[in-house]
Amino acid sequence: MEADWDEVGRIGLPPPGVRAVPTPVSAIAFDTKQELFWAGNEYGRITSFYGPELQKYTSFRAHPSSEGPVKQILLHGRGVISVASRSVHMSLRRGLAQWHISHDDMRDLRCMSYTSRGPSEILVAGCQSIMYKIDIEKGRILEEVSTDDHYTMMKRSHYICAATSTGSVNILDPSTLKSLRTWRAHTAWINDMDAQNKFLVTCGFSPRQQQNYMLDPLANVFDLKNLVQLPPIPFHAGAAFVRMHPRMSTTSVVVSQSGQMQVVDLMNPNTVNLRQANVSTYITALELAPSGEALALADGDCSIHLWGSPAKIHFADFSNPTEFEDSSAPPSSVDWTAETPLSSIGMPYYREQLLSAWPSHLTFEVGNPPPRVDPEVLISMTPADFGGYAPNPRKTRRNQVEDTRAASNIGAPLVAPKFLSEKAREAGIQNIDRRMSDVADVLGDASLSGITKAEVPVMYRNVEIKYSKFGVDDFDFRFYNKTNYSGLETHIANSYLNPLLQLMRFTPMLRSLALYHAATSCLTDPCLLCELGFLFDMLEKANGQNCQATNFLKSFSNVPRAGLMGILEESSPSGSLSGMIQLANRFLLEQISSDSRIISPGSSQLDETLATAALSNIHCIHCRNETVRPGGSYVTELAYPLKGKPLLRSSQPSFSQILKKSVESEQQTRGWCDKCRRYQQLSTKKAIQKIPHVLMINAAANTTEAKQLWTTPAWLPREIGIIIDAGHFYCYEGEDLRLRLLGGNQYITIYELVGMVADINSGERQKSHLVSIIDVRRFSDPPQAHAQWHLFNDFLVRSINQEDAFRFESSWKLPSILTFQVKQKGSAMDDSWKDKLDTSLLYEEFSFSQHHQTREARLLTRQSEAPGPQTLVAIDAEFVALQQEEIEIKADGTRETIRPSRLGLARVSVLRGSGIDESVPFIDDYIATNEPVVDYLTAFSGIRVGDLDPKHSSHKLVPLKVAYKKLWLLLNLGCVFVGHGLPKDFRTINIHVPRAQVLDTFDLFYIRSRQRRLSLRFLAWFLLKEDIQLETHDSIEDARTALRLYRKYEEFLDAGVLEAMLNDIYAKGREVGYKAPSAHKLEGGGDTGGRDTPPILQDSTSSRPSTPVRRGAGTGAAQRTPALTPGKGVYFASPLR
């Protein structure tokens, strides 16, 4: 409470009726979202007042007068919640009722509090044996909870602090509602209490002589962190009410019934600031505003006293504008006669939503339009006297009713395309690309011209992946992206980070840092800088194909500090995405800076690129003591003009002025002064030492003033110039920048905008989401001189013009993050990291399983087997299910996949593809996982329970990062991967291998016109005379089989009989249903059994299948040639005919 605090307003609570007498205030509360103050009376009526002047805003009856006074008022983002003795009520701030709950068992309710689910659920209790959990969104009782105590008030901090009617306080767990500790605060009852951070302070009554009850001359203090009692605060006037300061965690305000106010520090009770309220009766209630800049008292005269500093008083930090009624203009007079044509009277044009457009949660569909007659019925109808009759086409089931309303509803303009399998059936494969291109062209014609404030362009709206029975591979991603820049999929947890990851990827210096770090020997897990490098490399190699940030987001979720900061979707399900991504931006930059020091502890390259070097000068206003501390940061958060000051176009600050104020960050706070040995008012100002090459800026456009600035045309500059001089930060743009460059100022550094992350509010029927808008010209092939702005809306990517990119609307598009980079640093892409790959991991043994046994795999030798461009390697991988698919069964019995099953890499094997040791594995890693496995898929993976547990596994166990990095090194060394069905494996592993580096037998032995793919087992049975996968799959066996099939393919190609051979394979496949029967049934041989891994082939001519050479003209069809299949010991004939 500063020196200029005083009573700034006093108002009487309006009486309940026209001729009624005023009634005392029963409950008061400051609004947490708007500049409103709320009060309840003894008749269940709630009244609100606006601003420091306490102008009456709304007044409504929340509870029947028979239930008595309003016991408590709780503020929510959607409205106001109040509790009376027999009901709970929620209304909008404008007074419209949302829901009202009453119950026969509700007899004496007193208090309520939010639970562990935050603003979506409250706990209501009272002097009764039942408490209620209530869903705020739906307005219904979720659960009735029995309790042995009667509660009179509740406060929420880390726990729910519940005061009982006997003077005790129960510390309740917000999740389970179990009592963790009971504290006997007062011997009679508790009159008031408050909890903030880790402290709980109570005021109450105790019995005195002659059985009288008096207020205790102290306020009791309880430590909620350690659950122990602390020394009380003496207050000889009798502590009646108490509130903790919302900003200063150890400061509390204690008030007596006579109006004496004491501001005291809990850690230093001797430091007291006393004030006296001018009241003629007694105080009945106390409340402190969330901003800490206002205090309200209610007295026995039915009056409300407002205290604060006249110059600073406001109720809520970052408050939203309060909605007032519109002032309607008087209607203009119209000359009207009977002969006046109606067409001369124009219809009004509305640019905003009308009040008659009710919100979706208040509108209901009643009845159905009549169904339309099927065209087949009309064609075949036979006329009759009563009308006509026709055969029933039977397109619906018996007694099935058609949903005619669904057909008549107008859907969202951006409708998901048909599945690839559907297009193949309807139009033929040869026409798919043309039809998809036609539809995408229509989508590309959408622009922002003519878009009103209430409309959101199609390309900015939410995009959603649909799943068929073939999974996500059947979804047509190319419908949304026809560019060479890959988008990111959305069905992964925390994929709200996709726009920020795209922005970082297209920031050249940040991209180079991540890729150079990924190329080092770093094996730290989790290391977000490595994962960024892997992700950036995958996006570039994909060249427009859709990708997913699975591995990065998994590592991001595994960092403990991410959960504590509330930037995981599971910990903040209803949080603002714009606020979360700005917090995540700060967290990511700090984390990757820490990760970079693991490999190079003394390197300052990343700090030079991202960190603003500064010193904070902390000045004590009381004793003039000055302290200098490091004050650098990775993110600059924009600070806008104070609220309440209207911005005129002529006096609007420029972006450069706002940025200067934000970087230098001069502010006054209350803190500890070492010289005064107490908390004092401190002034802090930054002296800038050095500015980074990349400026990451959080827009923080939360206030009305900030939104007004961003919606100003051309307010965001394309380029800015920065000068650092004697600790001061100077910023220029536009004409000022041009003049300084013409003047030859050599100390100015030019920054240009790389891109931004924007928050898109698509309206009531769609949730808010994030997109990125980026200039990709540096990544064009070849690089372009002019800006090429692209919109990245998850997996929707399209080109937009600069005017659309720089246009903002307060109703649906506002910036969240901006990125500027030094202009001269981003002219060319640096790919020299590929020449500095640390490949030592490929030649070293790595395992942390306790019972690791030696297996068939043999490491590469650096001297003779170093992989390089065109080195052939065979690969196969096995997976386990980490999450089952989520399906929805509709009323008509059809199934729709909501979220596909999530697979995790369990084993990967890589074999030598040539040389003396061809088919010998050099990688056979089992991947340890700390996630619960819901299905080991043993029949398809060969993985059993315990194989992935370091304590019990006998296999070589490695972390996912080690296995992934080995494959990533082979990819960037230029190796060619041979396998069967590799795209799906690579997708699950989360790596992209260009087509030039893949030899897939799935495609080699395939006739496009047959539209039938052949399994590895069938090809091995037919071409190699081998029975594989008899019991389970084995990745070494599958990879070796694929390599041998590729060798067969080469032989067929060299002999010129590939086409005939393929026809022969498909002909045999039709005979046996494309399934491999056991060899002894077809040839009469004995049962050969199966092996986990087949033996290695010997390099001898007698053990290789022979392939006939192409005959000359006139020799007829190729003759059958016998061949001995290795590893089986049975003589078979070649399948060639």
Side-chain angles (χ1 to χ4, degrees), residues 869-895:
Q870 301 305 312
T871 299
L872 212 62
V873 295
I875 184 174
D876 190 68
E878 309 293 353
F879 306 94
V880 293
L882 301 179
Q883 181 179 339
Q884 298 286 11
E885 70 173 0
E886 300 177 16
I887 63 172
E888 178 184 2
I889 301 179
K890 298 183 178 180
D892 59 357
T894 59
R895 295 158 54 100

PDB file of all heavy atoms in Angstrom, residues 869-895:
ATOM      1  N   PRO A 869      28.361 -42.697 -50.468  1.00  0.00           N
ATOM      2  CA  PRO A 869      27.325 -42.600 -51.495  1.00  0.00           C
ATOM      3  C   PRO A 869      27.156 -43.908 -52.261  1.00  0.00           C
ATOM      4  O   PRO A 869      28.139 -44.555 -52.630  1.00  0.00           O
ATOM      5  CB  PRO A 869      27.828 -41.464 -52.395  1.00  0.00           C
ATOM      6  CG  PRO A 869      28.718 -40.652 -51.512  1.00  0.00           C
ATOM      7  CD  PRO A 869      29.365 -41.625 -50.575  1.00  0.00           C
ATOM      8  N   GLN A 870      25.885 -44.307 -52.463  1.00  0.00           N
ATOM      9  CA  GLN A 870      25.495 -45.517 -53.203  1.00  0.00           C
ATOM     10  C   GLN A 870      25.887 -46.818 -52.506  1.00  0.00           C
ATOM     11  O   GLN A 870      25.779 -47.886 -53.108  1.00  0.00           O
ATOM     12  CB  GLN A 870      26.093 -45.487 -54.623  1.00  0.00           C
ATOM     13  CG  GLN A 870      25.675 -44.297 -55.460  1.00  0.00           C
ATOM     14  CD  GLN A 870      24.153 -44.158 -55.563  1.00  0.00           C
ATOM     15  OE1 GLN A 870      23.465 -45.124 -55.836  1.00  0.00           O
ATOM     16  NE2 GLN A 870      23.661 -42.955 -55.315  1.00  0.00           N
ATOM     17  N   THR A 871      26.308 -46.737 -51.238  1.00  0.00           N
ATOM     18  CA  THR A 871      26.549 -47.971 -50.484  1.00  0.00           C
ATOM     19  C   THR A 871      25.220 -48.658 -50.227  1.00  0.00           C
ATOM     20  O   THR A 871      24.286 -48.053 -49.698  1.00  0.00           O
ATOM     21  CB  THR A 871      27.254 -47.666 -49.150  1.00  0.00           C
ATOM     22  OG1 THR A 871      28.514 -47.059 -49.414  1.00  0.00           O
ATOM     23  CG2 THR A 871      27.462 -48.944 -48.345  1.00  0.00           C
ATOM     24  N   LEU A 872      25.133 -49.935 -50.581  1.00  0.00           N
ATOM     25  CA  LEU A 872      23.884 -50.668 -50.462  1.00  0.00           C
ATOM     26  C   LEU A 872      23.757 -51.254 -49.056  1.00  0.00           C
ATOM     27  O   LEU A 872      24.678 -51.923 -48.565  1.00  0.00           O
ATOM     28  CB  LEU A 872      23.845 -51.790 -51.506  1.00  0.00           C
ATOM     29  CG  LEU A 872      22.478 -52.182 -52.071  1.00  0.00           C
ATOM     30  CD1 LEU A 872      21.850 -51.005 -52.787  1.00  0.00           C
ATOM     31  CD2 LEU A 872      22.629 -53.371 -53.017  1.00  0.00           C
ATOM     32  N   VAL A 873      22.624 -51.004 -48.407  1.00  0.00           N
ATOM     33  CA  VAL A 873      22.337 -51.601 -47.102  1.00  0.00           C
ATOM     34  C   VAL A 873      20.897 -52.092 -47.111  1.00  0.00           C
ATOM     35  O   VAL A 873      20.024 -51.485 -47.728  1.00  0.00           O
ATOM     36  CB  VAL A 873      22.548 -50.595 -45.937  1.00  0.00           C
ATOM     37  CG1 VAL A 873      23.999 -50.197 -45.811  1.00  0.00           C
ATOM     38  CG2 VAL A 873      21.657 -49.368 -46.088  1.00  0.00           C
ATOM     39  N   ALA A 874      20.653 -53.216 -46.451  1.00  0.00           N
ATOM     40  CA  ALA A 874      19.295 -53.763 -46.330  1.00  0.00           C
ATOM     41  C   ALA A 874      18.767 -53.442 -44.938  1.00  0.00           C
ATOM     42  O   ALA A 874      19.506 -53.487 -43.948  1.00  0.00           O
ATOM     43  CB  ALA A 874      19.316 -55.270 -46.564  1.00  0.00           C
ATOM     44  N   ILE A 875      17.491 -53.125 -44.864  1.00  0.00           N
ATOM     45  CA  ILE A 875      16.926 -52.645 -43.601  1.00  0.00           C
ATOM     46  C   ILE A 875      15.532 -53.220 -43.393  1.00  0.00           C
ATOM     47  O   ILE A 875      14.785 -53.444 -44.346  1.00  0.00           O
ATOM     48  CB  ILE A 875      16.880 -51.094 -43.567  1.00  0.00           C
ATOM     49  CG1 ILE A 875      16.381 -50.592 -42.213  1.00  0.00           C
ATOM     50  CG2 ILE A 875      16.020 -50.554 -44.687  1.00  0.00           C
ATOM     51  CD1 ILE A 875      16.450 -49.089 -42.059  1.00  0.00           C
ATOM     52  N   ASP A 876      15.213 -53.470 -42.128  1.00  0.00           N
ATOM     53  CA  ASP A 876      13.847 -53.792 -41.744  1.00  0.00           C
ATOM     54  C   ASP A 876      13.676 -53.396 -40.283  1.00  0.00           C
ATOM     55  O   ASP A 876      14.646 -53.357 -39.508  1.00  0.00           O
ATOM     56  CB  ASP A 876      13.544 -55.286 -41.925  1.00  0.00           C
ATOM     57  CG  ASP A 876      12.056 -55.575 -41.767  1.00  0.00           C
ATOM     58  OD1 ASP A 876      11.285 -55.129 -42.643  1.00  0.00           O
ATOM     59  OD2 ASP A 876      11.673 -56.203 -40.784  1.00  0.00           O
ATOM     60  N   ALA A 877      12.458 -53.098 -39.915  1.00  0.00           N
ATOM     61  CA  ALA A 877      12.170 -52.640 -38.554  1.00  0.00           C
ATOM     62  C   ALA A 877      10.906 -53.317 -38.047  1.00  0.00           C
ATOM     63  O   ALA A 877      10.032 -53.717 -38.827  1.00  0.00           O
ATOM     64  CB  ALA A 877      12.009 -51.116 -38.516  1.00  0.00           C
ATOM     65  N   GLU A 878      10.834 -53.457 -36.726  1.00  0.00           N
ATOM     66  CA  GLU A 878       9.661 -54.010 -36.065  1.00  0.00           C
ATOM     67  C   GLU A 878       9.117 -52.974 -35.079  1.00  0.00           C
ATOM     68  O   GLU A 878       9.888 -52.180 -34.521  1.00  0.00           O
ATOM     69  CB  GLU A 878      10.001 -55.308 -35.321  1.00  0.00           C
ATOM     70  CG  GLU A 878      10.745 -56.336 -36.159  1.00  0.00           C
ATOM     71  CD  GLU A 878       9.916 -56.915 -37.300  1.00  0.00           C
ATOM     72  OE1 GLU A 878       8.706 -56.605 -37.361  1.00  0.00           O
ATOM     73  OE2 GLU A 878      10.472 -57.650 -38.128  1.00  0.00           O
ATOM     74  N   PHE A 879       7.813 -53.015 -34.853  1.00  0.00           N
ATOM     75  CA  PHE A 879       7.165 -51.989 -34.044  1.00  0.00           C
ATOM     76  C   PHE A 879       6.221 -52.631 -33.025  1.00  0.00           C
ATOM     77  O   PHE A 879       5.740 -53.755 -33.215  1.00  0.00           O
ATOM     78  CB  PHE A 879       6.373 -51.023 -34.936  1.00  0.00           C
ATOM     79  CG  PHE A 879       7.201 -50.411 -36.031  1.00  0.00           C
ATOM     80  CD1 PHE A 879       7.245 -50.989 -37.302  1.00  0.00           C
ATOM     81  CD2 PHE A 879       7.959 -49.277 -35.799  1.00  0.00           C
ATOM     82  CE1 PHE A 879       8.020 -50.442 -38.300  1.00  0.00           C
ATOM     83  CE2 PHE A 879       8.717 -48.721 -36.802  1.00  0.00           C
ATOM     84  CZ  PHE A 879       8.755 -49.297 -38.053  1.00  0.00           C
ATOM     85  N   VAL A 880       5.956 -51.891 -31.962  1.00  0.00           N
ATOM     86  CA  VAL A 880       4.961 -52.272 -30.966  1.00  0.00           C
ATOM     87  C   VAL A 880       3.945 -51.147 -30.857  1.00  0.00           C
ATOM     88  O   VAL A 880       4.225 -50.002 -31.215  1.00  0.00           O
ATOM     89  CB  VAL A 880       5.606 -52.538 -29.581  1.00  0.00           C
ATOM     90  CG1 VAL A 880       6.497 -53.753 -29.630  1.00  0.00           C
ATOM     91  CG2 VAL A 880       6.384 -51.317 -29.100  1.00  0.00           C
ATOM     92  N   ALA A 881       2.744 -51.485 -30.363  1.00  0.00           N
ATOM     93  CA  ALA A 881       1.674 -50.495 -30.238  1.00  0.00           C
ATOM     94  C   ALA A 881       1.774 -49.809 -28.877  1.00  0.00           C
ATOM     95  O   ALA A 881       1.765 -50.471 -27.835  1.00  0.00           O
ATOM     96  CB  ALA A 881       0.311 -51.157 -30.396  1.00  0.00           C
ATOM     97  N   LEU A 882       1.877 -48.482 -28.903  1.00  0.00           N
ATOM     98  CA  LEU A 882       1.937 -47.690 -27.679  1.00  0.00           C
ATOM     99  C   LEU A 882       0.584 -47.092 -27.329  1.00  0.00           C
ATOM    100  O   LEU A 882       0.378 -46.633 -26.198  1.00  0.00           O
ATOM    101  CB  LEU A 882       2.970 -46.559 -27.834  1.00  0.00           C
ATOM    102  CG  LEU A 882       4.394 -47.012 -28.145  1.00  0.00           C
ATOM    103  CD1 LEU A 882       5.303 -45.802 -28.309  1.00  0.00           C
ATOM    104  CD2 LEU A 882       4.934 -47.925 -27.060  1.00  0.00           C
ATOM    105  N   GLN A 883      -0.339 -47.081 -28.285  1.00  0.00           N
ATOM    106  CA  GLN A 883      -1.671 -46.535 -28.037  1.00  0.00           C
ATOM    107  C   GLN A 883      -2.634 -47.142 -29.042  1.00  0.00           C
ATOM    108  O   GLN A 883      -2.348 -47.205 -30.233  1.00  0.00           O
ATOM    109  CB  GLN A 883      -1.651 -45.003 -28.174  1.00  0.00           C
ATOM    110  CG  GLN A 883      -2.987 -44.332 -27.901  1.00  0.00           C
ATOM    111  CD  GLN A 883      -2.899 -42.816 -28.040  1.00  0.00           C
ATOM    112  OE1 GLN A 883      -1.826 -42.244 -27.950  1.00  0.00           O
ATOM    113  NE2 GLN A 883      -4.019 -42.177 -28.260  1.00  0.00           N
ATOM    114  N   GLN A 884      -3.764 -47.616 -28.543  1.00  0.00           N
ATOM    115  CA  GLN A 884      -4.752 -48.217 -29.425  1.00  0.00           C
ATOM    116  C   GLN A 884      -5.468 -47.126 -30.221  1.00  0.00           C
ATOM    117  O   GLN A 884      -5.524 -45.976 -29.799  1.00  0.00           O
ATOM    118  CB  GLN A 884      -5.780 -49.010 -28.604  1.00  0.00           C
ATOM    119  CG  GLN A 884      -5.182 -50.176 -27.826  1.00  0.00           C
ATOM    120  CD  GLN A 884      -4.805 -51.351 -28.721  1.00  0.00           C
ATOM    121  OE1 GLN A 884      -4.797 -51.229 -29.950  1.00  0.00           O
ATOM    122  NE2 GLN A 884      -4.479 -52.479 -28.112  1.00  0.00           N
ATOM    123  N   GLU A 885      -6.009 -47.511 -31.355  1.00  0.00           N
ATOM    124  CA  GLU A 885      -6.750 -46.541 -32.151  1.00  0.00           C
ATOM    125  C   GLU A 885      -8.072 -46.199 -31.469  1.00  0.00           C
ATOM    126  O   GLU A 885      -8.636 -47.009 -30.729  1.00  0.00           O
ATOM    127  CB  GLU A 885      -6.997 -47.068 -33.559  1.00  0.00           C
ATOM    128  CG  GLU A 885      -7.980 -48.220 -33.641  1.00  0.00           C
ATOM    129  CD  GLU A 885      -8.306 -48.585 -35.081  1.00  0.00           C
ATOM    130  OE1 GLU A 885      -7.769 -47.943 -35.993  1.00  0.00           O
ATOM    131  OE2 GLU A 885      -9.096 -49.529 -35.279  1.00  0.00           O
ATOM    132  N   GLU A 886      -8.536 -44.978 -31.711  1.00  0.00           N
ATOM    133  CA  GLU A 886      -9.809 -44.526 -31.180  1.00  0.00           C
ATOM    134  C   GLU A 886     -10.818 -44.504 -32.324  1.00  0.00           C
ATOM    135  O   GLU A 886     -10.582 -43.866 -33.348  1.00  0.00           O
ATOM    136  CB  GLU A 886      -9.668 -43.126 -30.567  1.00  0.00           C
ATOM    137  CG  GLU A 886      -8.673 -43.067 -29.418  1.00  0.00           C
ATOM    138  CD  GLU A 886      -8.504 -41.656 -28.898  1.00  0.00           C
ATOM    139  OE1 GLU A 886      -9.365 -40.806 -29.204  1.00  0.00           O
ATOM    140  OE2 GLU A 886      -7.506 -41.395 -28.199  1.00  0.00           O
ATOM    141  N   ILE A 887     -11.914 -45.211 -32.137  1.00  0.00           N
ATOM    142  CA  ILE A 887     -12.924 -45.292 -33.188  1.00  0.00           C
ATOM    143  C   ILE A 887     -14.261 -44.821 -32.644  1.00  0.00           C
ATOM    144  O   ILE A 887     -14.489 -44.815 -31.431  1.00  0.00           O
ATOM    145  CB  ILE A 887     -13.061 -46.721 -33.748  1.00  0.00           C
ATOM    146  CG1 ILE A 887     -13.538 -47.668 -32.634  1.00  0.00           C
ATOM    147  CG2 ILE A 887     -11.774 -47.206 -34.358  1.00  0.00           C
ATOM    148  CD1 ILE A 887     -13.891 -49.047 -33.132  1.00  0.00           C
ATOM    149  N   GLU A 888     -15.125 -44.394 -33.553  1.00  0.00           N
ATOM    150  CA  GLU A 888     -16.476 -43.975 -33.207  1.00  0.00           C
ATOM    151  C   GLU A 888     -17.452 -44.782 -34.057  1.00  0.00           C
ATOM    152  O   GLU A 888     -17.316 -44.844 -35.281  1.00  0.00           O
ATOM    153  CB  GLU A 888     -16.656 -42.481 -33.469  1.00  0.00           C
ATOM    154  CG  GLU A 888     -18.062 -41.973 -33.169  1.00  0.00           C
ATOM    155  CD  GLU A 888     -18.228 -40.505 -33.523  1.00  0.00           C
ATOM    156  OE1 GLU A 888     -17.261 -39.909 -34.033  1.00  0.00           O
ATOM    157  OE2 GLU A 888     -19.329 -39.967 -33.301  1.00  0.00           O
ATOM    158  N   ILE A 889     -18.385 -45.413 -33.388  1.00  0.00           N
ATOM    159  CA  ILE A 889     -19.406 -46.188 -34.097  1.00  0.00           C
ATOM    160  C   ILE A 889     -20.659 -45.328 -34.198  1.00  0.00           C
ATOM    161  O   ILE A 889     -21.238 -44.933 -33.180  1.00  0.00           O
ATOM    162  CB  ILE A 889     -19.702 -47.508 -33.363  1.00  0.00           C
ATOM    163  CG1 ILE A 889     -18.424 -48.346 -33.253  1.00  0.00           C
ATOM    164  CG2 ILE A 889     -20.797 -48.291 -34.084  1.00  0.00           C
ATOM    165  CD1 ILE A 889     -18.597 -49.653 -32.523  1.00  0.00           C
ATOM    166  N   LYS A 890     -21.048 -45.020 -35.412  1.00  0.00           N
ATOM    167  CA  LYS A 890     -22.180 -44.132 -35.641  1.00  0.00           C
ATOM    168  C   LYS A 890     -23.502 -44.893 -35.515  1.00  0.00           C
ATOM    169  O   LYS A 890     -23.532 -46.119 -35.350  1.00  0.00           O
ATOM    170  CB  LYS A 890     -22.068 -43.488 -37.025  1.00  0.00           C
ATOM    171  CG  LYS A 890     -20.819 -42.619 -37.168  1.00  0.00           C
ATOM    172  CD  LYS A 890     -20.782 -41.931 -38.516  1.00  0.00           C
ATOM    173  CE  LYS A 890     -19.568 -41.024 -38.630  1.00  0.00           C
ATOM    174  NZ  LYS A 890     -19.527 -40.342 -39.940  1.00  0.00           N
ATOM    175  N   ALA A 891     -24.588 -44.136 -35.590  1.00  0.00           N
ATOM    176  CA  ALA A 891     -25.913 -44.722 -35.404  1.00  0.00           C
ATOM    177  C   ALA A 891     -26.231 -45.745 -36.485  1.00  0.00           C
ATOM    178  O   ALA A 891     -26.971 -46.701 -36.241  1.00  0.00           O
ATOM    179  CB  ALA A 891     -26.968 -43.617 -35.369  1.00  0.00           C
ATOM    180  N   ASP A 892     -25.695 -45.557 -37.693  1.00  0.00           N
ATOM    181  CA  ASP A 892     -25.989 -46.496 -38.766  1.00  0.00           C
ATOM    182  C   ASP A 892     -25.057 -47.707 -38.767  1.00  0.00           C
ATOM    183  O   ASP A 892     -25.107 -48.524 -39.682  1.00  0.00           O
ATOM    184  CB  ASP A 892     -25.921 -45.793 -40.121  1.00  0.00           C
ATOM    185  CG  ASP A 892     -24.547 -45.182 -40.373  1.00  0.00           C
ATOM    186  OD1 ASP A 892     -23.692 -45.263 -39.467  1.00  0.00           O
ATOM    187  OD2 ASP A 892     -24.344 -44.626 -41.462  1.00  0.00           O
ATOM    188  N   GLY A 893     -24.212 -47.814 -37.754  1.00  0.00           N
ATOM    189  CA  GLY A 893     -23.334 -48.965 -37.644  1.00  0.00           C
ATOM    190  C   GLY A 893     -21.972 -48.794 -38.279  1.00  0.00           C
ATOM    191  O   GLY A 893     -21.092 -49.649 -38.122  1.00  0.00           O
ATOM    192  N   THR A 894     -21.725 -47.710 -38.992  1.00  0.00           N
ATOM    193  CA  THR A 894     -20.428 -47.485 -39.613  1.00  0.00           C
ATOM    194  C   THR A 894     -19.404 -47.058 -38.567  1.00  0.00           C
ATOM    195  O   THR A 894     -19.741 -46.465 -37.549  1.00  0.00           O
ATOM    196  CB  THR A 894     -20.520 -46.417 -40.713  1.00  0.00           C
ATOM    197  OG1 THR A 894     -21.003 -45.194 -40.130  1.00  0.00           O
ATOM    198  CG2 THR A 894     -21.463 -46.860 -41.814  1.00  0.00           C
ATOM    199  N   ARG A 895     -18.155 -47.356 -38.857  1.00  0.00           N
ATOM    200  CA  ARG A 895     -17.054 -47.030 -37.943  1.00  0.00           C
ATOM    201  C   ARG A 895     -16.220 -45.913 -38.539  1.00  0.00           C
ATOM    202  O   ARG A 895     -15.928 -45.924 -39.735  1.00  0.00           O
ATOM    203  CB  ARG A 895     -16.163 -48.255 -37.710  1.00  0.00           C
ATOM    204  CG  ARG A 895     -16.851 -49.398 -36.995  1.00  0.00           C
ATOM    205  CD  ARG A 895     -16.146 -50.719 -37.251  1.00  0.00           C
ATOM    206  NE  ARG A 895     -14.735 -50.670 -36.919  1.00  0.00           N
ATOM    207  CZ  ARG A 895     -14.227 -51.160 -35.778  1.00  0.00           C
ATOM    208  NH1 ARG A 895     -15.034 -51.721 -34.893  1.00  0.00           N
ATOM    209  NH2 ARG A 895     -12.941 -51.102 -35.538  1.00  0.00           N
TER     210      ARG A 895
END
